[in-house]
Amino acid sequence: MLLRIGRREAMRKKQVLQLLTMLTATAAVCGGLFLRHQPMEVAAVRVEKGNICRTVGVAGTVCYTQETPVTAMVSGMVDALYVIEGERVTQGQALARISGGTAQEQAVLALMTHLDDDGRSALTQTLAEGSVLRAPVSGIVQRVATAAYAPVQAGSIPMTIAAGAPEIVCLCVPADAEDVRVGQLADISTNGKHCGYATVASIKPMIAESSSAYRLILTPQDGLTLSPGIEVEAQITAEYHAQVTTLPLSAITPDETVWWIADGICTEIPAQIVQTDENSAWVSLPEGISVVNGEFDRCQQGVRVRIAEGRCGTRWISR
């Protein structure tokens, strides 16, 4: 009798344990299904109209098509220097004054005693004109190879004037040269500061066999004054497309696809990229559609998603 009661109790405990196990499993399955059907919050961006601008960056040096030397007519010492490098001058402008040395003055005095009044007057005028260095042409002082109180020899070239048309000489690699065309616009800057614009005048391969670089000549636009010899940076606009459908590059996967969000369902489709620049891509997708922006490893085909409010275009938001 006692044995029979003990068996019934054991059976009842076993049934209770089985029931609890079934209830736990059912709860886990239901919980998993519930979580699975909960939409995942994501950051998203829309396909919108924008501009695509692809540039080629090069560095160059400012040169002028004509360099004119300024020759000293007399020997002596520079006792006045009127200009500095980079200064614009006009033809005939005084650049420096040279005073004759003691030996020269003695020679002139000795010569004066053998000349009549007209000869002495002409010699004095010639020496006066020769003691002042004047700009032979209008242009920009490119080089000053002397200083105040420095000795100067007759026939030497203490200064050089850059005249003619200014040009910016640049070098670029073949890959960049393929995208550059004559007539394209270039944004010019010095020391990181924008100073004007130039246009591509010519592009030719270097003659040297050991070099594969290309030589670019940029012509500064009117109003842009650049000192000869200075280094400049140029951003050449290789391509420009206005008001095309664009997406930020952060919304495009490494496989050049996007995760399209439609009716709360996430679907991977080709991005259909036409052109890119540093930040955006021109895509052949309908304007206004929404796509996931970033952390694509969390995306799955057909998963329900919800665009996170107030976080569009920034990042994913954790659940």
Side-chain angles (χ1 to χ4, degrees):
M1 182 70 174
L2 291 175
L3 182 59
R4 193 177 301 140
I5 294 173
R7 288 177 179 175
R8 281 201 297 267
E9 289 293 332
M11 287 292 293
R12 193 177 295 112
K13 290 180 179 180
K14 185 177 181 180
Q15 290 173 350
V16 171
L17 289 174
Q18 289 176 344
L19 181 60
L20 290 175
T21 302
M22 291 175 62
L23 289 174
T24 302
T26 301
V29 171
C30 292
L33 290 173
F34 176 77
L35 293 176
R36 184 176 179 181
H37 286 82
Q38 278 287 90
M40 180 171 56
E41 288 189 341
V42 297
V45 291
R46 287 190 178 90
V47 176
E48 297 178 342
K49 293 287 188 180
N51 302 329
I52 296 293
C53 180
R54 191 165 59 85
T55 60
V56 174
V58 294
T61 304
V62 178
C63 302
Y64 279 72
T65 55
Q66 179 184 346
E67 293 182 4
T68 303
V70 180
T71 305
M73 303 304 295
V74 297
S75 297
M77 180 177 294
V78 177
D79 60 6
L81 195 61
Y82 302 131
V83 295
I84 60 174
E85 290 183 356
E87 185 174 341
R88 184 172 289 277
V89 296
T90 58
Q91 185 176 10
Q93 180 177 332
L95 307 177
R97 187 177 71 241
I98 302 173
S99 62
T102 302
Q104 183 184 26
E105 292 175 354
Q106 292 176 350
V108 170
L109 290 174
L111 183 61
M112 288 284 193
T113 60
H114 296 86
L115 297 175
D116 56 16
D117 290 342
D118 291 339
R120 284 195 292 269
S121 176
L123 178 61
T124 301
Q125 183 178 355
T126 301
L127 291 173
E129 292 178 353
S131 65
V132 178
L133 285 178
R134 296 185 180 278
V137 294
S138 297
I140 297 177
V141 179
Q142 180 174 1
R143 184 176 63 92
V144 177
T146 187
Y149 310 112
V152 175
Q153 295 296 321
S156 64
I157 302 175
M159 294 187 191
T160 303
I161 304 297
E167 58 185 22
I168 303 170
V169 181
C170 310
L171 296 180
C172 73
V173 297
D176 288 338
E178 292 177 357
D179 296 326
V180 178
R181 300 288 183 272
V182 173
Q184 289 175 338
L185 186 68
D187 186 301
I188 306 300
S189 60
T190 58
N191 299 320
K193 184 179 180 180
H194 169 76
C195 58
Y197 297 95
T199 53
V200 178
S202 67
I203 174 170
K204 298 178 181 178
M206 297 289 288
I207 299 176
E209 295 181 0
S210 59
S211 175
S212 61
Y214 278 70
R215 186 172 185 263
L216 272 66
I217 302 297
L218 307 179
T219 302
Q221 291 188 348
D222 293 341
L224 175 58
T225 301
L226 297 169
S227 300
I230 67 169
E231 301 290 329
V232 302
E233 301 84 40
Q235 291 292 330
I236 303 170
T237 303
E239 289 188 49
Y240 182 79
H241 305 281
Q243 293 302 295
V244 294
T245 47
T246 62
L247 277 175
L249 295 180
S250 58
I252 299 174
T253 72
D255 297 327
E256 297 188 357
T257 62
V258 295
W259 286 94
W260 173 36
I261 303 172
D263 298 327
I265 302 297
C266 193
T267 306
E268 188 175 17
I269 62 173
Q272 302 184 60
I273 298 173
V274 180
Q275 188 57 267
T276 63
D277 61 18
E278 293 182 356
N279 303 306
S280 305
W282 172 10
V283 294
S284 293
L285 294 174
E287 181 182 1
I289 69 170
S290 297
V291 300
V292 174
N293 188 27
E295 293 191 17
F296 308 113
D297 56 335
R298 296 183 60 190
C299 295
Q300 295 181 19
Q301 200 80 2
V303 168
R304 294 186 62 82
V305 296
R306 180 169 62 87
I307 297 176
E309 185 177 352
R311 307 292 295 192
C312 186
T314 54
R315 59 179 178 84
W316 288 80
I317 297 180
S318 301
R319 287 181 292 172

